[in-house]
Structure formats: C-alpha cells, structure tokens
C-alpha cells in the first residue's frame, strides 16, 4: 500500500512522489546551557541535514558563556533557526 521513497528524496503513497513543499514541517528543539564548546557542532549538523523542511527552536536556559551569541548568529543567517532566551 505504501512505499518508502526516501531514497529518491520523497516519501509518499506508492507511485506518488511528493515535492519538498508537500513534506511535513518538523520542529527540532535544542535546549542549551553553557554549551559554547559543543553548540556550533550541533547547529552545523542541523544545517547539513538533507531534510530541510524543519524549524530549529534554540532555547537558551540562562547561559553565562557565549552560547546565546552563537545561537543568535545561526538565527540571523538561517531562517529555519529561532533563538529564545529564558531566565
């Protein structure tokens, strides 16, 4: 009934290929606290995903290092990334 078309870059009903705009949007939540040593590697990995219909919600939990600044830079250059600061 259903065929996995992920090898062709699309998933859908057998015989039906879907364009990227038809793929569901997913949300990736990335909470961080003083993660400047690892945050860039994490966000670079998200940017390189082949599935591009996602939003990355970057949630700073009161970091006192440069984590928030790193996340904010990604949000400035990639519209899929949204940075929020919590106290």
């Amino acid at each position: 009934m259903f065929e996995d078309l992920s090898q062709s870059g699309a998933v859908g009903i057998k015989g039906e290929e879907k364009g990227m705009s038809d793929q569901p949007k997913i949300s990736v939540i990335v909470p961080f606290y003083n993660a400047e040593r690892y945050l860039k590697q994490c966000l670079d990995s998200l940017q390189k995903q082949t599935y591009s219909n996602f939003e990355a919600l970057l949630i700073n939990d009161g970091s006192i290092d440069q984590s928030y600044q790193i996340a904010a830079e990604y949000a400035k250059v990639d519209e899929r990334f949204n940075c929020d600061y919590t106290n």
Side-chain angles (χ1 to χ4, degrees):
M1 182 173 185
F2 290 96
E3 178 181 348
D4 182 357
L5 300 172
S6 61
Q7 298 301 326
S8 68
V11 176
I13 298 173
K14 185 176 181 178
E16 217 181 277
E17 290 204 1
K18 296 188 173 201
M20 185 55 90
S21 63
D22 293 334
Q23 291 184 340
K25 186 173 189 175
I26 62 169
S27 297
V28 179
I29 301 171
V30 182
F32 60 91
Y33 176 76
N34 292 343
E36 70 180 346
R37 291 179 49 200
Y38 311 104
L39 189 58
K40 186 176 182 333
Q41 180 181 3
C42 171
L43 301 180
D44 283 346
S45 177
L46 278 174
Q47 275 189 322
K48 293 176 186 175
Q49 295 301 307
T50 57
Y51 188 92
S52 62
N53 195 18
F54 71 88
E55 65 177 344
L57 305 174
L58 313 177
I59 310 298
N60 181 23
D61 194 16
S63 296
I64 57 174
D65 64 1
Q66 295 297 306
S67 297
Y68 180 77
Q69 289 78 5
I70 293 168
E73 279 301 312
Y74 279 80
K76 284 181 188 175
V77 298
D78 192 328
E79 65 184 16
R80 299 173 299 176
F81 290 74
N82 297 298
C83 190
D84 190 22
Y85 191 92
T86 61
N87 288 324

